[in-house]
């Protein structure tokens, strides 16, 4: 709960820093961070209901829930203005999302890039396995003098395009070279 010192000194709704984004994330999840700043919070199904700090009133018009990725979803059935709700408690839209951790050191960045590349390679290999089967089935049909239907032909062309895309992914990426200016 907010301390009395952080309430709007003019005595109106909201808080003193209502117009700005905090830009800071606490150790709490985005949903917990918002729940701490609301009044009349009550658990409701998979989410919570609370009094809306933007449009006021005694009913719990504000609905909150948290996604599997940790994002906080906010909706007021009274005013429908999520930005005003957040501003009234000194937050902004960015505060509804969990902090995305970025690699800091060059080695961490290289490791993250390597992991991303290996993931792309795995997806490309899975695609190659599937699309090569499509090409094999089409070849079998043609070898047995059974013409392909138009839909089968279109699917074979799509398989060839996807195989080409997988080939591009599996190639070593071009090495970055610094530009030398004279």
């Amino acid at each position: 709960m907010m301390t009395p010192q952080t309430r709007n000194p003019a005595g109106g709704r909201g808080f003193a820093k209502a117009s700005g984004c905090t830009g800071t994330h606490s150790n709490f999840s985005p949903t917990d961070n918002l729940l701490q700043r609301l009044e009349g919070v009550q658990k409701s199904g998979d989410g919570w209901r609370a009094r809306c700090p933007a449009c006021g009133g005694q009913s719990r018009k504000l609905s909150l829930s948290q996604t599997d990725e940790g994002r906080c979803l906010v909706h007021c059935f009274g005013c429908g203005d999520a930005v005003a709700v957040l501003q009234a408690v000194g937050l902004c839209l960015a505060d509804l999302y969990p902090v995305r951790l970025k690699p800091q050191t060059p080695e961490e960045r290289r490791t993250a890039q390597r992991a991303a590349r290996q993931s792309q390679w795995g997806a490309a290999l899975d695609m190659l396995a599937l699309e090569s089967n499509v090409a094999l089935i089409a070849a079998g049909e043609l070898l047995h003098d059974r013409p392909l239907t138009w839909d089968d032909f279109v699917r074979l062309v799509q398989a060839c395009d996807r195989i080409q895309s997988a080939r591009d992914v599996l190639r070593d990426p071009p090495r970055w070279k610094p530009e030398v200016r004279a």
Side-chain angles (χ1 to χ4, degrees):
M1 212 25 86
M2 299 297 289
T3 62
Q5 293 86 353
T6 57
R7 289 233 178 240
N8 190 336
R13 260 191 242 133
F15 296 84
K17 197 175 180 183
S19 63
C21 178
T22 63
T24 60
H25 289 275
S26 66
N27 292 334
F28 300 107
S29 73
T31 305
D32 291 337
N33 191 22
L34 180 56
L35 287 171
Q36 289 178 0
R37 298 165 184 250
L38 297 172
E39 295 177 3
V41 175
Q42 181 180 23
K43 183 77 173 147
S44 175
D46 289 341
W48 297 267
R49 296 295 294 255
R51 291 190 205 111
C52 179
C55 63
Q58 293 299 312
S59 63
R60 292 180 176 93
K61 299 178 269 189
L62 186 63
S63 175
L64 296 106
S65 61
Q66 184 170 316
T67 66
D68 292 339
E69 297 85 23
R71 289 176 287 184
C72 179
L73 304 178
V74 177
H75 179 72
C76 176
F77 291 97
C79 63
D81 192 353
V83 174
V85 170
L86 295 171
Q87 287 178 344
V89 294
L91 297 175
C92 66
L93 285 174
D95 294 316
L96 296 180
Y97 297 88
V99 177
R100 189 168 69 184
L101 301 176
K102 296 181 184 177
Q104 299 299 317
T105 66
E107 182 56 35
E108 287 175 337
R109 285 193 290 274
R110 279 191 295 276
T111 301
Q113 289 171 344
R114 196 173 318 123
R117 194 77 179 142
Q118 287 174 350
S119 174
Q120 290 174 339
W121 288 340
L125 290 172
D126 289 344
M127 184 191 311
L128 279 173
L130 174 69
E131 300 305 328
S132 63
N133 283 333
V134 170
L136 186 61
I137 291 168
E141 292 296 309
L142 293 173
L143 282 175
H144 289 91
D145 289 327
R146 291 188 290 249
L148 297 177
T149 66
W150 179 252
D151 289 340
D152 290 341
F153 175 75
V154 168
R155 180 61 180 96
L156 180 59
V157 169
Q158 182 183 37
C160 292
D161 289 342
R162 288 179 174 174
I163 289 169
Q164 180 64 37
S165 295
R167 178 178 166 253
D168 294 341
V169 168
L170 293 172
R171 276 189 192 166
D172 281 336
R175 301 287 182 227
W176 178 80
K177 294 179 184 175
E179 188 177 309
V180 179
R181 294 185 183 195

